[in-house]
Amino acid sequence: MDTDKRPIYPIQVWDITETEFDIKNNYRNETTFALSNGYIGTRGTFEEAYDFDIDTGLEGNFVNGFYESEKIRYGEANFGSPLLSQSLLNLPNLKETHVILADEKFDMMDGTVEEYERVLHMKEGILERKLIWTSPKGKKTRIQILRLVSFARKNIMLISYRVTPLNYSGEIQFVSKMQTDVENHTRKTNPIVDYGPFGRRLDPDKMWAKNNKMYYEGTTKGSQLTMACGSSHVLWKNNDLIKELSWQKDIKEMMAEISVSVECEQGTTVKLDKFICYSTALDMGKNELETFVNKELEAAETDGGLYLEKYQKEYMESFWKIADVEIKGNEAVQQGIHFNLYHIIQAAGRDGHTGMGAKGLSGEGYEGHYFWDTEMYVLPVLIYTEPEVAKKLLDYRYGTLDQARERARILGHMKGALYPWRTINGAEASTYYPLGTAQYHINADIAYALSLYLQVSGDVEYLKEKGAEILIETARVWADVGSFAECKDGRYCICDVTGPDEYNVLVDNNFYTNLMARENLRDAVGAVSYLNENAPEVLSRLEEKIDFSIEEIEMWNQIIEKMYFPYDEKRQIYPMDDGFMMRKPWDESKIPPEKRAWLYENYHPLFIMRHRMSKQADAILGMYLHSNLFTEEEIRRNYDFYQEVTLHHSSLSTCIFGIVACDIGYLDEAYKYFSQSARMDLDDYHNNFYAGIHAANMAGTWQAIVNGFAGVRCQDSKLRFKPVIPKEWEEYRFRIKRKGTLLEVTVSKQEARFKIIEGDRINFWIGEKNITLKGEGDQYVEKI
Ligand code: BGC
């Protein structure tokens, strides 16, 4: 990780600005300027559709949940290895638009570009490119292009293309294309894995162009899923709709285009509003797609581009009203936080049957797979700020319980559900089980996020409808996977799992896993007891549906009581697993600098695994999530130990160390870790931003402030704060929702102020002090 990088973009708290076009930064900038609404994702590529090669750019258009599968080619497979891959499929590109300015085609590689700026307006949710272009023959034109992926209309993206001839009058021609000959980059984003998808994967079913509209429908070769897309176009001259237009069309095998020309006088602005629609047969019957896309396009046309822009701003305004974290005294950090939160809210699936990829919808990295990143890093942010979106992400896990049950059977568990380590459609998609399926902790991570949601929101209905079933089914696997080992004094041991740390795999008694499993069981016991007392009819329904008997909780209680944890008496710490302290100490000086961050690319896994070091936060993460179960002294001893042995080779690590450092009063160190997270993607510390965002770390920076500096925890149904302020800041402010009440917290050098913004009552703790605020505007001030 290269944290000494200078800011790539000018420091502006609400904007990210590219001040010149430089091809060598193109691939990375495509991710920076990627837009999404949790359903459609599009990379920040240009409308001109330059022909970039595999190292300089990737046109990317995605629909959340839409994937292609291929038969996985294993050199050596084992029983239970997934047979089919899942990759977020790169879909036809409809952004491509060319403008011909009185016989010269706009092309930034040709002529002269002046006053160039591409700005991501994070406050508004709009991407804007503006420039003045002088053609090789000397024609000067002002060009302004707005782009948004609509929060108002799930299936719609808008490109609003404005052209103003500055020193000439003439014919302006717009050529709008639909390129369907698209492929994933695969080799670039996944070089050491033979996974696919290879080549063009969509077979066309329909394609047409008529007047101002184009339409395409295609079905994937492997997953046999159908997607549809289309575009429609409206032109304006100086804000007047141009009604009579003569559209020309051209259809080839893999491409369709329509074009139109208008006369434009010097100083006059012609605007093309291009509405793009994507939908898939995951949402409706295949035969309904064409009608649906047409209707959506017509509705978007009726709304108009200006309405979509207005709604986009309103949506973002309401998002920032709750989720913004304001920092006084450090604009660079402020910009980083905005960038992170912006990408998070863009990326989260919110229709109840899609999740959120580790890279959001910003690129092909990690095949677009959903991991635990969603539950452990992103969900806590959404639970406190956008609980409705959080709930939809939990719905996605609920909706895939059947596949998780099937997976549990494959792994030999007669009861319960085992969630996949990596997936899109709910089935396991990881091919290397030591780093994949063995990460059983995903079950407890999902249960943890669910429990946090229930505690923070107080949504008991959700527990009854869906939550209890998830808690019971995940708990059942924990009750089956281990045993009360005689050699460990009858304690419950879980062997051959991989914890979060991917440099120590297939270990016995991973501390994090055992801890999270125990708490998963505890939450399941709690849920069953609650239902038994308060909603026996729900419990009976569940008993029947999943063949559950309340007697099962007897065993769960025994496991809770007897869970084993590795312990090093001499150091008084919890080693990561039973073998951790036996492993060879890591000597970084023996590793050439250029190989240090890329161990799996340069060393055999056995070499890595035999060393006493860790890729990322593991035991420490468990101690953060369940900090109420440890003393501060205990956490400090463990932190001191893990600090030494953790390499932070995963982007999921530093934010967690920052939070724990806060808990134990290591404020300077906390700030150091926080700084490594806050602008990680914006300044591309990992040099791989081209492949997509690191959503977990982006959300982790919010946690580092709210759960770290402000010390927020919701444990045992109590909301707690332990606010401190880094010396680098003058003040910070954030808002969180608890049981429908919106609380604002402002921390300055002298005091922490808690104020109800909306809602009627909130109760919380600061140390031993219990505070209740009773209504809107009510506040409490704590000296710090
Ligand atoms: C990390 C995992 C993470 C995955 C996706 C890996 O490098 O070790 O913890 O889930 O990336 O972000």
Side-chain angles (χ1 to χ4, degrees), residues 357-359 366 369-374 377 421-422 435 439 441 499-503 615-617 649-652 693-697:
K359 305 263 172 209
Y366 283 131
H369 288 165
Y370 315 143
F371 294 70
W372 72 315
D373 303 38
T374 315
Y377 290 79
W421 176 242
R422 302 171 64 140
L435 292 187
Q439 297 206 44
H441 65 86
D501 174 49
E502 296 190 339
Y503 287 167
K615 176 184 175 189
Q616 64 200 97
H649 285 177
S650 157
S651 61
L652 282 66
I693 61 167
H694 297 90
N697 173 70

Side-chain angles (χ1 to χ4, degrees), residues 2 158 176 224 378 438 443 450 508 577 625 646 648-649 758:
D2 183 359
L158 166 75
S176 175
Q224 287 291 299
V378 177
N443 253 23
L450 168 64
D508 295 338
D577 56 72
L625 300 172
T646 308
H648 305 297
H649 285 177
E758 270 168 29

Side-chain angles (χ1 to χ4, degrees), residues 86 214 243 285 341 371 399 410 430 442 471 499 515 567 612 616 682 699 720:
Q86 296 163 47
M214 291 186 277
K243 290 199 178 111
L341 288 172
F371 294 70
I410 289 173
S430 66
I442 180 95
L471 291 173
L515 174 66
Y567 195 68
R612 194 167 75 215
Q616 64 200 97
L682 192 50
R720 295 186 171 278

